[in-house]
Amino acid sequence: MNPYLHVLPEVSEALSTGKPVVALESTIISHGMPYPKNVETALAVEQAVRDNGAIPATIAIFGGKCHVGLSREELEYFGHAPDVWKVSLRDMPYVISRELYGATTVAATMRIASMAGIKIFVTGGIGGVHRGAETSMDISADLTEMADTSVAVVSAGVKSILDIGLTLEYLETKGIPVVTIGQDEFPSFYSSKSGYKSPLRIDETNSLARMIHTKWGLGLKGSVLIANPLPASDEIDAAVMETHIREALQAAAAKQVKGKDVTPFILQYIAQHSKGESLEANISLIKNNAALGAKIAVSMLELV
Ligand code: PSU
Ligand code: MN
């Protein structure tokens, strides 16, 4: 066991006895949603994993360790503490060695999940290639991590704050299968549509589990990106969203927001300017993803 890992007893028991476990990220709690909705959502997401037959393991960093599974008090702390770092892969050595509090992104959560032996990870939306990346070079470490680490990622697609077309191209370059559940079009988080055809479509959870199992059985390392369209009743009109996104991008440029601050700034701007509608959609889709992730984790274990 890696000395920098601390696994909650319920999670380590599940892993050692072959029960399904689903990893969850903490950046969405600390930097993606306002308090107290973030904590309520984190708890509801954990419950959705349990209701579908798996054990949740929310991942975060504190006290010099990567924690796999958080207590209610710890979740609560990450929900409102002002001093929590947003930790992607490159921030891990600093935040861990200085014993700071760190909420983990998709990239860091995947890596820690993999260290603990967890194969399925649920999030809302992944980071990707940003609009304008041809000059800014802003490409999320989530994508390179998906090339390196063998943990499947359940998402609601890619948010259109990013360049969805370039993100799909990048995933292709890195050999990462992208599978949409139940429809031909790749979804864009707030909408079931994106204007891009999904590279792959699978409708049944057990077929999906078999494909993931086959990828790793072939010795192909890396992730499978699963796109789960949000429930139709929670969709936000794409044209309305585009207006918010353009304004958010302009505001970010005017304030010279750079680097790791770009994604949280845009997400927060959109949440504030869409009068809570985006927050409700966000909560709904992540619960929906948690249910699917748990079902995939259960199916994966039936294959081995
Ligand atoms: N996109 C979303 N919601 C999120 C994030 C991205 O729609 O909460 C968060 C995730 O934690 C993701 C991170 O891993 O932002 C990506 O940040 P960056 O673009 O700086 O790599
Ligand atoms: Mn970036």
Side-chain angles (χ1 to χ4, degrees):
M1 166 84 110
N2 190 302
Y4 293 105
L5 213 53
H6 178 274
V7 185
L8 203 68
E10 184 193 21
V11 176
S12 68
E13 194 268 342
L15 289 167
S16 61
T17 57
K19 292 194 192 114
V21 178
V22 170
L24 301 163
E25 65 153 306
S26 44
T27 291
I28 192 166
I29 305 173
S30 295
H31 301 91
M33 285 184 194
Y35 182 79
K37 281 268 183 193
N38 53 0
V39 176
E40 286 165 28
T41 305
L43 291 169
V45 167
E46 290 199 346
Q47 191 56 48
V49 170
R50 288 186 198 283
D51 292 344
N52 288 279
I55 304 291
T58 302
I59 291 178
I61 290 169
F62 57 94
K65 303 246 183 213
C66 303
H67 289 256
V68 179
L70 300 184
S71 70
R72 205 196 157 107
E73 293 69 36
E74 288 160 353
L75 262 184
E76 193 56 56
Y77 183 84
F78 278 92
H80 62 73
D83 56 348
V84 176
W85 273 62
K86 173 189 164 196
V87 177
S88 192
L89 221 49
R90 61 110 193 243
D91 309 294
M92 286 175 64
Y94 181 83
V95 171
I96 293 169
S97 65
R98 299 186 65 114
E99 304 194 359
L100 303 174
Y101 282 85
T104 49
T105 62
V106 167
T109 308
M110 282 180 75
R111 184 64 66 98
I112 297 166
S114 171
M115 285 159 65
I118 302 172
K119 295 299 202 183
I120 304 290
F121 162 53
V122 166
T123 186
I126 60 160
V129 181
H130 282 256
R131 297 190 190 187
E134 59 274 25
T135 52
S136 71
M137 294 283 283
D138 193 351
I139 300 174
S140 176
D142 293 354
L143 297 184
T144 45
E145 184 61 13
M146 279 196 269
D148 288 338
T149 295
S150 301
V151 171
V153 178
V154 181
S155 70
V158 170
K159 213 171 258 178
S160 51
I161 61 171
L162 302 170
D163 188 316
I164 298 178
L166 292 187
T167 302
L168 289 170
E169 290 292 346
Y170 197 94
L171 290 162
E172 179 188 352
T173 301
K174 291 290 179 181
I176 301 157
V178 176
V179 189
T180 298
I181 307 292
Q183 63 178 42
D184 294 329
E185 189 164 348
F186 185 71
S188 61
F189 197 93
Y190 293 121
S191 169
S192 63
K193 299 182 189 68
S194 67
Y196 293 89
K197 187 173 190 292
S198 177
L200 300 167
R201 167 183 178 165
I202 293 181
D203 293 354
E204 301 84 23
T205 311
N206 53 357
S207 312
L208 181 56
R210 184 168 301 282
M211 198 202 90
I212 298 166
H213 187 73
T214 303
K215 168 163 176 160
W216 296 330
L218 284 164
L220 297 174
K221 71 171 172 138
S223 189
V224 171
L225 177 63
I226 299 148
N228 188 27
L230 86 169
S233 55
D234 295 308
E235 282 195 67
I236 302 179
D237 183 72
V240 171
M241 215 59 227
E242 182 60 24
T243 309
H244 292 309
I245 289 167
R246 281 180 193 271
E247 282 174 18
L249 292 171
Q250 272 168 13
K255 293 198 162 160
Q256 304 215 349
V257 180
K258 296 258 184 327
K260 68 186 278 189
D261 297 328
V262 171
T263 300
F265 178 91
I266 295 170
L267 294 179
Q268 208 171 25
Y269 188 100
I270 293 169
Q272 280 165 0
H273 290 78
S274 66
K275 302 186 199 74
E277 194 186 4
S278 70
L279 185 61
E280 289 314 311
N282 206 337
I283 294 170
S284 154
L285 69 86
I286 188 161
K287 285 198 264 186
N288 191 44
N289 292 349
L292 176 66
K295 286 179 195 153
I296 298 168
V298 170
S299 294
M300 291 285 296
L301 284 175
E302 285 162 3
L303 290 171
V304 283

